[in-house]
Structure formats: structure tokens, C-alpha cells
Amino acid sequence: MSGWPLLLVTLVMLTGLAGVFVPGVPAPATVWAAVLWWALEEASEPGWWFLAGASGLLLLNLELKRKIPALRAGEPGAHRPTPLGMRVEFCLCLVVVSGWAGVAAWT
């Protein structure tokens, strides 16, 4: 994969990474979708292994978000993420994006 498709995958990943700080944006799902898109286009063994690793890390992120309590907003049932939860999500997404950059450069 090279050229425009690689640039688009990179932009989707950076959008997901920036989406961690925007309420309502599914940042981990966006990053995972970009990794899936890249793995499907690349169709190589390192690509599939990286997709599996990214899936595991993002599932870990979902579990950690459940364990970290959310702050209550003004109305019942509305939650907003804590700074700790946002940091954890950002770090896990950053690990996935950085790892992808290494695997993409290597293959």
C-alpha cells in the first residue's frame, strides 16, 4: 500500500487519535477501522498480526474505561470521561498508531 490510500489511512488514524479529546467521537473504533482497512489492503502476515494486537489493545481499552468511573454531568444518565480515562485511551490509541507506523514502514 502506498500513495493516496496510505495517506488516507494515516489521516483516519490521526483523526481517531485527535478524537480522544472530542466528546462523542468513537476514537478507538476509528483507529481500529483504519488498522482494519490497512490490513485488508496490505494482506500480509505482519498486517494480520498487527490487526490482532491492535484489537486486543482496544478491547483492553474498553475494559479499562468500564473500570474508571465517569464524572456525572448535570443531568441523570449523562457521563463525561475523566481526565484519567482520556489519558489511558489516548495512550493506547497512540501505541496502536505508533506501532502501525513501524509495521507499515517495515513492510
Side-chain angles (χ1 to χ4, degrees):
M1 175 182 252
S2 62
W4 285 105
L6 188 60
L7 179 65
L8 290 174
V9 168
T10 304
L11 288 175
V12 170
M13 283 195 180
L14 292 177
T15 301
L17 198 56
V20 170
F21 302 107
V22 179
V25 175
T30 305
V31 170
W32 184 84
V35 172
L36 175 67
W37 180 14
W38 173 77
L40 289 172
E41 289 289 325
E42 190 69 26
S44 66
E45 187 174 345
W48 298 120
W49 280 107
F50 188 75
L51 177 63
S55 299
L57 276 176
L58 295 176
L59 285 173
L60 173 68
N61 179 42
L62 287 175
E63 185 61 29
L64 288 174
K65 279 175 50 175
R66 281 188 31 201
K67 299 288 184 196
I68 298 172
L71 298 174
R72 282 223 178 255
E75 55 196 51
H79 295 285
R80 57 188 174 114
T82 62
L84 175 63
M86 287 173 58
R87 279 189 233 128
V88 167
E89 188 171 316
F90 179 75
C91 288
L92 287 174
C93 285
L94 187 62
V95 165
V96 170
V97 171
S98 301
W100 169 80
V103 172
W106 180 58
T107 56

